Amino acid sequence: MPTPHLHRRSFATFAVALTVALQAGAAQDPQVDGGVAAAQPIDESPFPASTAIAEGVSPEALARLEALVRGFVDQGQVVGAELQVIVNGRSILHGAYGWRDRESETPMEPGSVFCVRSMTKPLIGTALWMLIGDDLVELDDPVSKYLPYFDAEGLRDVTIEHLMTHTGGFPYSLLVGRDLASLGDIQAVAALGADYTLDFEPGSAFQYSDQGTDTLTAVIEVASGGSAADFVRARILEPLGMEESTLLMTEGNALRARACSKYAGAPGEWKRFWSPQDPPLFPFFLGSQGLYATLDDYALFMQLWLDKGRAGRERLIRPAYVRKALRPGPFPLPAGTGLPGARVDYGHLMELWTRPEEGAAEGAAEAEREVVAFGHNGSDGTHAWVFPDSRAMVLYFTQSRGTMTGVQVEEALGELFLGAPFDPNQLAPPHDDYLGYYRENDEDLYRGIIEDGDELALEVLGRGVVALDYAGEDQWKIRMNPGTVLAFQRGEAGEVTGYAIGDHREYRFEPDADLPGAEEVVAKVLAAHRLDLLADLGPMRRTGTIEIASVNMEGELTTLTAWPDRFRVDSITGESFERVAFDGEVLRSETSATEFEVLEGERAAWARTDHLLAHFGDLSRWHSSLRVIQRLSDDGVDVLIVRAGDTSGPATTLYIEAETGLVRRVDSFALIPGMGRMGQSAEFGDFRDVSGMQLPFATKIELANPIIGEIRVVIGQTELGVDVPEGSFELK
C-alpha cells in the first residue's frame, strides 16, 4: 500500500481562526490571582452615574460582562483590570478588579492610570486632522516635504495618508534592539526610516507600523513649529479636559501615584517589568505608544469622535474629516473579533469594526460596509470601543501585556449592543466526545482537538492553539474569531466522526495499528544521531549565527551539551541577550530584560524540550509519551509523524524519517514574554558527521507571529571534549 504524501496546505479558515493565537496562544491553566475588586464611583466624573435599565441596556447582559472581567482576574488571565461602560454620556458600570501592583498588594481602583500604548495613535491622527484644517498639512503631501531625508529613491512617494493608513511600506518597528535614550528625540526615530528599503510600494498593501506613526509625530513638529507633545497637549488634552493624562511619565509626575505597574507574559506567568518607582519607560514622547491616561480621560477623547469632532459647543475636527477617518481602507486587518458578523478594518489611525450594510448585495464593494464600532487597542492590554448607533462607549484597561481577553469582552459587547446570543460552555457535551485527531484526507497532516487546561481547543501544528466555546448542537466557536464555527458531525452510534468549517471538512481518525511503537522510534532516532557518543566524547560546544530578517537583526548563538541531560543555550542579538540552562534537575533563565530566575510551569515545560538532546537524543528522557500518529511521504521519503503527548494538552510533534530515524522537523511552542504561547516550526538541514554523530548545521525556525517571522541559525564551529567551568549549567 503506497504511503500518503505529506500535505502541508494551509487553509484560509485556519489562517483567520489562528490570527490572534499566533501572537499569544490560547489561555493557560487558570490560577486564582488573589486580587480584590472595587466598584465605587469616582467623584466628579465627567460621566454621571446611571443604570442599565435607564439607558436601555439589559441589566443581565451587563452583569455577565462584569462577571467575565472579574473572572479574568480570579483565573489569573490578567493581573488587574478596570472596566467602564458609558451609554448616552452616562456611566452604567465602572469597576476595578485585581491589583494595580501585585507585589505590594496595591488594589486596582477606579481612576487608575494606564499606559495605553497604541491607543496613542488616534491622538496623532486627530492632531494631523487639525493641522489639515489649519491648512498646514495635506493628506497627499509627500513626507519629504517636512522631512528632507525622505527625499530619496524609494521614499519620495510616501505620503501623509500612507502613514495614517499603515500603507507606507514601513515595518512594525525599527526600534527593536536599540537604546531609545541614545536616539534623543522623535526626529531621530523618524530618521531611522531614511535608510530603510520599503517592504512594498506605498499604498499597495497594509502593514501595521509604529515606525510610520512615529514618523508622523515628527511631521507634526515640523508643521506646527513646536514639539508634538506641546501640540497634542494644547489642542487635544486641554480642550477636552483630559487632566489625568500625560504624554511622558516623568519621574516627578503626580500621576505616578495612581499609575499601574506593567506586567508581561501569559496567564499564570505574569512578570512585572515596570513599576511607578522605575525610571520612565520612554525618555521622550512617542506618538505610536506614549500616552498614559485614566478611563474617564480616554472616554472624553472617544466622546469627541462619537460627537463627530465637537467637544461641547466647540468644534475641534471638521465633520468631513471625521467621516474620512472612519471610512474603512482597502485592506482588512488579519485579526479576529468577538463582535458577531463583524471584521476588523482600519481607517486613518483608527481601528474599525465593520459589517456589510443592510441590504447590500452579496459580493458588494468594500465601500458598502457599515462601521458598527470604532476605537483602538494597546499592546499592554487596553481597549476602547465606541458603538455609534447605541451612543455607547466601553473601556477595558489592563496592564497585562500579552492578554487576549479583549476578544472575549467583544463577544459580551456584541450581546450588549449588537444582539449577539450568549451560550455558556457548561451546556456542552463532555470534552471526551470530541478529543482526537482530524484530517481532510489520508495525505493531510493531522489537526488535534485537545484539552488546554479546562477548555476544549483546536491545535494546528506549528501554528497555534485556539480555545473553543460551545455554541449549541455540537457547534464550537473559535474564541478569538467567534464568526468561525467548528460544526461537529456524529455517526449513527452517536460518536463524533469529524467537523466542518464552512465548506471545509475534517474527518476524525485513529492512528493505524501497524505504525511503529514508541520504543522502536526512540531506538531509531538514537541510532541515527548517536548523541549518546557524547558520554565518551565529553561535553560539546557549538557556536554559530542567528538572523531574524523581519527586524533586520543578527546575533550569535552558543550551545553547550553534556550527555545525558544537561544543556545551556546563550544567544545575543543586538543589545539583547538570553541564557537558558538545565543541570539535569532545574531549568534556569536570564535575559537582558529579566533577572535570573528558575523557570517553572508551562514556560519551563516548553523550554526544557527545545534543544539538541530533546530533538536528537534519547527522546524517552525528554518526552513523557510518544505515539506515531501518521506515516506520510515527503518528496519520496517516508516520514513518521510522532506526537510527544496525548490530547490532554498541546504537544510537540516530531517528523522522523521512517527508514533512517533522522529527525527532519519539530513543531512545538514557545512561551515568549509579552506575546504568550506561540507556535513554532523548526526545520533541520545540512546534517554532517561529527565523530560519528549526525548533527544539523542549519536550522530554520518559523514562528507563527509575523512580526518575528523566520529565524535562521547556522552553526559555524563544533568542539568536543571542552572544559566546562563549574556552575555553567546553573548559569553561575
Side-chain angles (χ1 to χ4, degrees), residues 357-387:
E357 287 188 351
E358 188 173 349
E362 186 172 348
E366 292 304 306
E368 297 180 36
R369 293 190 68 85
E370 174 192 14
V371 175
V372 296
F374 64 86
H376 219 283
N377 64 67
S379 59
D380 276 359
T382 55
H383 304 262
W385 301 270
V386 178
F387 297 86

Side-chain angles (χ1 to χ4, degrees), residues 303-343:
Q303 187 77 44
L304 170 70
W305 283 86
L306 179 59
D307 290 340
K308 298 180 172 57
R310 186 179 292 278
R313 296 185 177 182
E314 183 181 3
R315 176 161 297 285
L316 301 184
I317 315 170
R318 295 179 185 177
Y321 298 162
V322 174
R323 291 192 296 270
K324 176 77 170 177
L326 300 183
R327 186 177 303 153
F331 307 105
L333 269 66
T337 175
L339 297 181
R343 79 177 189 199

